[in-house]
Amino acid sequence: MKKTQKLEKLLVQCFDKPERSGSPAETFEGRFNPESYTHRYLNALQLRQGIGTIGIREIYAFARPEELSFSLIFDNSVHTGLDNQSKVYSDVQKFLAAAYYAVGEIHAPHFLRLIWGEMKFNCRLRSAEVTYQKFGSNGLPSRAELKVEFIGETEAPTGSQTFNSPDLTHLRTVSASDSLPQMTTRIYGSMA
């Protein structure tokens, strides 16, 4: 007999603490998985340009938090009736209650963990934009598209990488033939 594999749904786990340990306070399961998602990795660069020079030199400052965005679909358009139409609106509100609205004693939205396949992403909701579609005669939508953006969060936001920096204090012996541009080039690799 052939085994059928269960379709894994996108889960949004909601926690009251940034450690995201123990059982989630709430869990939201998507009815339809996103068709795609965008995972962005961003570096912050400082742009420096000397007076009277052409071109800008980018200097690495730090890595910004990762970002994740996708669309969730809520669709009852194949079903008719007031209950199915009002369910779309209430499902969107359930998601917003779990991820967007401030809750309880933390006075802030939940700390989230998105789980889908190999993806496990600790984050907070940055934005949610809802487009309601296919309205019945009662004015209720039977379909909604929810575009969401999340900003990643590490469990230890203090940073874990240490770099040897040329910005640390240096002890230098200066000779009569040294100029400031020569010294900055020797120490920093550039006059800028």
Side-chain angles (χ1 to χ4, degrees):
M1 181 177 213
K2 197 176 191 183
K3 275 189 171 179
T4 57
Q5 196 172 17
K6 183 184 173 205
L7 176 66
E8 191 168 340
K9 298 286 186 84
L10 170 75
L11 288 179
V12 180
Q13 294 180 331
C14 308
F15 295 88
D16 290 335
K17 295 184 179 173
E19 298 81 25
R20 296 167 177 85
S21 57
S23 297
E26 290 183 52
T27 300
F28 180 87
E29 182 178 72
R31 283 200 283 157
F32 301 99
N33 284 329
E35 286 185 17
S36 65
Y37 66 86
T38 302
H39 195 156
R40 295 182 67 205
Y41 302 86
L42 303 163
N43 283 327
L45 303 173
Q46 296 176 347
L47 306 178
R48 294 189 180 164
Q49 183 171 2
I51 296 172
T53 61
I54 298 173
I56 296 175
R57 180 172 178 216
E58 297 89 7
I59 298 171
Y60 174 81
F62 55 90
R64 292 192 182 277
E66 297 171 22
E67 297 176 2
L68 192 70
S69 60
F70 52 83
S71 291
L72 290 171
I73 301 296
F74 302 87
D75 194 344
N76 281 336
S77 60
V78 294
H79 304 289
T80 57
L82 182 64
D83 289 341
N84 287 317
Q85 288 175 326
S86 63
K87 184 158 176 42
V88 167
Y89 184 80
S90 67
D91 284 349
V92 169
Q93 291 307 307
K94 264 187 226 175
F95 174 85
L96 294 174
Y100 172 71
Y101 295 117
V103 293
E105 293 180 14
I106 63 173
H107 305 289
H110 282 116
F111 299 91
L112 306 176
R113 176 178 291 137
L114 307 181
I115 300 173
W116 187 30
E118 295 294 315
M119 178 185 65
K120 290 177 180 46
F121 190 70
N122 290 340
C123 58
R124 302 292 284 276
L125 180 68
R126 172 183 278 164
S127 68
E129 179 181 321
V130 188
T131 302
Y132 293 103
Q133 303 165 336
K134 298 186 178 181
F135 297 90
S137 58
N138 53 12
L140 293 172
S142 57
R143 188 174 199 280
E145 180 181 3
L146 178 63
K147 294 179 184 174
V148 288
E149 292 182 7
F150 300 91
I151 186 162
E153 239 179 31
T154 58
E155 290 185 23
T158 55
S160 59
Q161 292 184 336
T162 304
F163 298 105
N164 291 329
S165 173
D167 296 328
L168 299 174
T169 304
H170 296 280
L171 180 60
R172 299 285 181 229
T173 304
V174 180
S175 66
S177 63
D178 280 341
S179 70
L180 189 55
Q182 288 173 329
M183 292 177 66
T184 56
T185 301
R186 218 176 18 241
I187 295 169
Y188 299 106
S190 167
M191 287 191 295

